[in-house]
Amino acid sequence: MRLLKVATCNLNQWAMDFDCNVKNIKESISRAKEAGAVIRLGPELEITGYGCEDHFLELDTVTHAWECLQELLLGDWTDGILCSFGMPVLKGSERYNCQVLCLNRKIVMIRPKMWLANDGNYRELRWFTAWKQKDHFDDFLLPNEISEALSQKTVPFGYGYIQFLDIAVAAEVCEELFSPMPPHAELALNGVEVFMNASGSHHQLRKLDIRLRAFIGATHTRGGVYMYSNQQGCDGGRLYYDGCSCIIVNGDMVAQGSQFSLKDVELVVAQMDLDAVASLRGSISSFQEQASCKPRVSSVAVPYKLCQSFNLQMSLSSPLKIQYHSPEEEIAFGPGCWLWDYLRRSGASGFLLPLSGGADSSSVAAIVGCMCQLVVKEIANGDEQVKADAIRIGHYTDGQFPIDSKEFAKRIFYTVFMGSENSSDATRTRAKVLADEIGSWHLDVSIDGVVSALLSLFQTLTGKRPRYKVDGGSNIENLGLQNIQARIRMVLAFMLASLLPWVHNKPGFYLVLGSSNVDEGLRGYLTKYDCSAADINPIGSISKQDLRMFLKWAAIHLGYPSLAEVESAPPTAELEPIRSNYSQLDEVDMGMTYEELSVYGRMRKIFRCGPVSMFKNLCYRWGAKLTPMEVADKVKHFFKYYSINRHKMTVLTPSYHAESYSPEDNRFDLRQFLYNARWPYQFRKIDEFVDNLNGDKVAFTKSTDQQTADVTTEGGMGVVAAGSGNPRAGF
């Protein structure tokens, strides 16, 4: 038997905070050694933090990374344990994203990343070069200070593996696993048994299964031990790295870390018999045949043993059932942990949320409440770092610390209901009840006086006073009156966030939380510089449908029962007067349902559909209920208002990234913000398709002597004729 114990970890790194990052790295190595592990894997770019972005272009960043690596190598951290550290490395004039593999105070090899992540939220080609020389190692000349300190001048640099006396080990870096021809396939044929994947992978709703299936598939048919390490937390931006470090043996999960946690360091350890890998590979005929004619991969020979022989004191890890969170749990824990990292690292003393009693702001309040519960739970479990942060943020004295989430919320969370003459008693009551359930410091304020003062000023300047549409005003007047209320709320929120701590004799400031969802951002159904304009927004990339499911879940599992009533209420902005024959509703204002918006968003972003492609696809999807003309009208309506309001995305509050169709303009969804909102060419092509479809429908009707055609086809596109003129039927 060849018994091996390995360790991987979740680390909560912070971009450009080298002290924090090295501290976490050392803690993970110490724990790995205590557990008896002989291999320790950390996340991608763990020394600098993954999210440094254009800081990677600064020579200082690379220099500081080498200085931190030198500190790790001069101590006893790598004695008796193979450590893989992630950091940027300059080779000549090129900058590479590297894994530096170290053992016994020496650098064994440097493995540059070959396939860079360069889509969605990732821009690695902006900062790094992909390594393209697969057939040999280069001799890399170490920086002078490192060379002198380590008494080592050069190190092998490139693609390959380390051949120990009893085991072969190789690195595969993040994106490489998901490439069409992943390195592990070739490496396995060359005899590599342990694969180390250092990653910087962010949370996205319902994404974890895709990632885990890739790990399992890597060793299911090839055999091997697959180690995965990831960052966990907010390292300074919109992304939450969702951990879930794990170890796979021959396609079975034998160790799994948490996906969401407040811990700075979490270690995952497993023990396995590498003879099981050799046995599986020997039993697969196709593996044997392909291995016999494999392309050779370079290796570095290290005269050192990592494995133990038969030893009953080392038990073997057994396969585990993979743990997944429901989407509702992901919405609670992911943004909750992200908010905690942002709060403790920003220097703020808490949060302030304009709480309207509607679904969106109530969801944000519930997430903050969940964060408070997580903090109290982690303190009870003995996490001293969380305890120290909570004492500092909550301004506890005399040895006190949070033991109750509601009491903690009272210290760090303000909620404000900013009512007007257009607000209902129902929303005011819901806001108050929810605030009491969470424990926030709740205020109820009327903004009517400020609105009236502004309107009087406007009347003095122009001689006119605008009226709501229900009172005989025009659309322009109606919109202007709504925007005044919305923008006053933003100004009031920031004023309260900066001054309320002073009123209550607290130091610092409060972060203003936004509460617009991804669908409203996509449609532009928000006022520019209203309450959507905040410091951060934990739900800005979450759909309305998912938020409603979350509210139902949170009412039970977070202990906030009033959320059930919030979820059942129809969405309304309450910016227009309520009359006996009129009540403002969001979906009526938008001219589309939230369910439709999710469909448009996924087609636009995920499936890369322009107006014409979206029309064709929706003819298939909605043809049973809508005519081609009705589908065309809906597609045109969406693209018209999407393009008119796209400019609002340029000032969108930084939001937690959770959804693959987010319209966030800064990094994820890069598009123009000045459109020809008439889309003349595209809409004309849609009209031509509609005319052709209608012509074929008439011909089909006459030939079959029917009053209504059931099915028509044009160019291979099947369309079921709608039996109802209701534009919302069937959704």
Side-chain angles (χ1 to χ4, degrees):
M1 300 183 77
R2 289 178 298 149
L3 303 181
L4 181 72
K5 180 174 284 191
V6 299
T8 183
C9 54
N10 296 331
L11 297 186
N12 193 336
Q13 305 299 77
W14 191 3
M16 301 300 291
D17 188 339
F18 294 92
D19 287 339
C20 164
N21 298 342
V22 171
K23 175 177 176 288
N24 290 343
I25 290 169
K26 289 179 177 179
E27 177 66 22
S28 69
I29 296 173
S30 294
R31 294 187 191 180
K33 286 185 171 184
E34 289 174 6
V38 293
I39 298 178
R40 176 267 178 198
L41 172 65
E44 184 177 12
L45 295 168
E46 61 180 321
I47 291 179
T48 59
Y50 183 85
C52 296
E53 299 185 322
D54 280 3
H55 285 295
F56 285 125
L57 304 178
E58 301 166 3
L59 292 179
D60 278 1
T61 304
V62 179
T63 300
H64 296 331
W66 278 113
E67 292 165 350
C68 292
L69 181 65
Q70 177 179 321
E71 179 183 341
L72 291 167
L73 289 173
L74 290 181
D76 62 356
W77 303 102
T78 62
D79 290 357
I81 185 169
L82 176 68
C83 292
S84 181
F85 301 116
M87 60 178 276
V89 174
L90 274 174
K91 183 179 184 294
S93 58
E94 305 106 46
R95 184 184 298 101
Y96 293 98
N97 176 350
C98 296
Q99 288 301 118
V100 182
L101 285 79
C102 305
L103 175 68
N104 292 332
R105 311 191 189 197
K106 298 291 183 183
I107 301 174
V108 178
M109 69 173 284
I110 299 177
R111 165 65 155 84
K113 192 173 181 179
M114 298 187 297
W115 309 113
L116 301 179
N118 207 57
D119 54 11
N121 286 293
Y122 298 101
R123 299 285 181 275
E124 289 186 13
L125 279 171
R126 179 181 175 97
W127 311 301
F128 301 110
T129 299
W131 180 253
K132 303 176 182 67
Q133 311 302 320
K134 292 186 61 178
D135 56 345
H136 68 278
F137 281 119
D138 283 357
D139 285 331
F140 177 77
L141 191 64
L142 290 171
N144 288 334
E145 296 82 356
I146 304 297
S147 177
E148 293 175 3
L150 303 182
S151 299
Q152 181 180 3
K153 291 184 178 181
T154 62
V155 61
F157 186 104
Y159 168 62
Y161 62 95
I162 304 175
Q163 182 63 64
F164 291 94
L165 295 175
D166 52 358
I167 182 179
V169 179
E172 181 172 68
V173 190
C174 196
E175 178 72 13
E176 294 174 349
L177 169 66
F178 303 98
S179 63
M181 298 177 65
H184 69 257
E186 183 179 54
L187 290 166
L189 295 176
N190 277 266
V192 173
E193 295 164 303
V194 177
F195 307 94
M196 301 184 295
N197 188 315
S199 182
S201 188
H202 69 276
H203 173 238
Q204 192 167 288
L205 287 172
R206 306 174 178 89
K207 174 187 172 185
L208 181 61
D209 182 58
I210 297 173
R211 196 189 307 163
L212 294 183
R213 278 190 276 119
F215 305 150
I216 292 169
T219 61
H220 180 70
T221 57
R222 301 179 186 91
V225 177
Y226 206 93
M227 302 169 61
Y228 171 75
S229 177
N230 193 16
Q231 286 192 194
Q232 186 175 63
C234 166
D235 80 338
R238 292 164 170 80
L239 304 183
Y240 178 82
Y241 299 93
D242 61 337
C244 206
S245 295
C246 58
I247 301 169
I248 313 289
V249 178
N250 290 349
D252 290 323
M253 175 86 74
V254 297
Q256 179 182 1
S258 65
Q259 187 177 12
F260 309 107
S261 174
L262 302 186
K263 294 184 176 72
D264 283 344
V265 178
E266 180 180 358
L267 197 73
V268 178
V269 180
Q271 303 82 233
M272 66 285 304
D273 175 16
L274 289 184
D275 282 352
V277 175
S279 176
L280 176 62
R281 290 176 175 177
S283 70
I284 303 173
S285 176
S286 59
F287 185 94
Q288 297 286 301
E289 292 298 318
Q290 292 183 7
S292 69
C293 58
K294 61 185 175 293
R296 295 288 177 180
V297 176
S298 301
S299 63
V300 177
V302 177
Y304 189 83
K305 288 186 177 182
L306 294 179
C307 297
Q308 297 183 32
S309 57
F310 178 68
N311 181 1
L312 287 178
Q313 293 182 346
M314 180 186 289
S315 60
L316 299 182
S317 300
S318 301
L320 304 174
K321 181 180 179 181
I322 300 175
Q323 299 297 315
Y324 293 106
H325 288 287
S326 67
E328 295 86 350
E329 290 173 329
E330 291 184 77
I331 293 171
F333 302 142
C337 293
W338 182 76
L339 284 177
W340 177 246
D341 277 343
Y342 204 102
L343 176 61
R344 71 190 181 111
R345 289 172 170 170
S346 66
S349 296
F351 297 117
L352 183 137
L353 171 68
L355 181 59
S356 69
D360 294 333
S361 61
S362 295
S363 294
V364 173
I367 289 170
V368 176
C370 177
M371 181 202 79
C372 294
Q373 294 181 16
L374 290 173
V375 168
V376 170
K377 180 179 178 181
E378 206 59 50
I379 292 173
N381 289 337
D383 193 307
E384 291 299 322
Q385 184 60 58
V386 174
K387 182 178 179 180
D389 288 333
I391 290 172
R392 173 178 54 83
I393 295 168
H395 307 294
Y396 288 89
T397 58
D398 300 327
Q400 294 183 320
F401 56 88
I403 58 174
D404 177 76
S405 63
K406 292 182 68 172
E407 186 275 334
F408 185 53
K410 181 72 74 174
R411 289 173 176 262
I412 62 114
F413 188 29
Y414 282 111
T415 52
V416 187
F417 181 83
M418 303 182 191
S420 74
E421 61 184 358
N422 302 321
S423 303
S424 67
D425 291 337
T427 53
R428 175 179 279 105
T429 300
R430 289 200 296 266
K432 177 65 168 65
V433 172
L434 178 59
D436 289 342
E437 290 172 349
I438 294 171
S440 66
W441 190 295
H442 187 67
L443 301 173
D444 188 330
V445 60
S446 172
I447 63 171
D448 288 332
V450 185
V451 173
S452 178
L454 285 173
L455 291 177
S456 297
L457 175 62
F458 180 83
Q459 187 172 12
T460 300
L461 290 172
T462 66
K464 291 187 175 182
R465 192 176 185 92
R467 295 177 296 167
Y468 290 103
K469 191 173 181 179
V470 293
D471 296 328
S474 64
N475 285 330
I476 293 176
E477 294 171 78
N478 196 60
L479 185 60
L481 287 170
Q482 294 183 68
N483 288 344
I484 290 171
Q485 299 169 68
R487 289 179 175 135
I488 285 172
R489 286 172 172 145
M490 181 205 73
V491 174
L492 181 58
F494 276 98
M495 184 183 78
L496 292 173
S498 62
L499 291 178
L500 278 178
W502 166 71
V503 171
H504 292 102
N505 295 315
K506 294 181 179 180
F509 61 96
Y510 276 36
L511 293 164
V512 178
L513 298 179
S515 58
S516 58
N517 62 63
V518 69
D519 298 321
E520 291 169 349
L522 178 66
R523 166 61 172 74
Y525 186 64
L526 53 95
T527 300
K528 202 173 187 178
Y529 307 116
D530 68 347
C531 276
S532 65
D535 289 309
I536 50 175
N537 181 356
I539 66 164
S541 184
I542 303 176
S543 73
K544 190 78 162 188
Q545 294 184 91
D546 281 339
L547 288 174
R548 296 189 72 166
M549 291 192 302
F550 164 71
L551 289 172
K552 292 179 181 178
W553 175 89
I556 299 171
H557 295 89
L558 294 183
Y560 308 141
S562 66
L563 292 176
E565 183 180 346
V566 173
E567 188 279 329
S568 64
T572 173
E574 290 196 336
L575 293 172
E576 296 182 66
I578 300 172
R579 298 286 188 266
S580 59
N581 61 346
Y582 178 77
S583 179
Q584 185 181 23
L585 297 173
D586 289 353
E587 292 183 331
V588 175
D589 279 357
M590 293 190 296
M592 59 191 75
T593 66
Y594 283 106
E595 185 176 355
E596 290 170 349
L597 263 173
S598 290
V599 173
Y600 299 144
R602 286 183 166 83
M603 285 195 166
R604 182 198 68 97
K605 179 64 177 176
I606 302 173
F607 299 105
R608 298 165 293 281
C609 287
V612 177
S613 296
M614 187 180 293
F615 164 75
K616 291 178 179 179
N617 279 279
L618 289 179
C619 280
Y620 284 112
R621 182 164 184 164
W622 291 348
K625 296 294 183 181
L626 299 178
T627 65
M629 178 64 77
E630 290 170 327
V631 174
D633 287 343
K634 284 181 171 292
V635 170
K636 291 177 183 178
H637 186 73
F638 165 71
F639 273 100
K640 173 185 176 181
Y641 284 98
Y642 156 75
S643 55
I644 286 174
N645 291 303
R646 178 67 189 183
H647 66 96
K648 296 178 182 178
M649 298 302 97
T650 65
V651 296
L652 198 67
T653 295
S655 301
Y656 178 98
H657 179 86
E659 184 56 76
S660 55
Y661 69 90
S662 170
E664 186 264 304
D665 177 78
N666 188 271
R667 286 169 172 79
F668 184 70
D669 189 43
L670 307 182
R671 301 168 195 251
Q672 72 209 66
F673 54 86
L674 177 61
Y675 282 90
N676 184 341
R678 295 186 298 276
W679 298 80
Y681 186 89
Q682 293 91 333
F683 286 4
R684 187 166 66 249
K685 296 295 292 184
I686 291 176
D687 291 339
E688 291 173 6
F689 278 108
V690 171
D691 290 342
N692 290 336
L693 289 167
N694 286 337
D696 287 353
K697 177 179 176 180
V698 171
F700 183 77
T701 302
K702 289 181 179 179
S703 65
T704 56
D705 195 30
Q706 296 177 347
Q707 294 298 314
T708 304
D710 292 324
V711 178
T712 65
T713 60
E714 206 284 320
M717 176 165 55
V719 180
V720 180
S724 169
N726 181 355
R728 299 189 188 281
F731 299 106

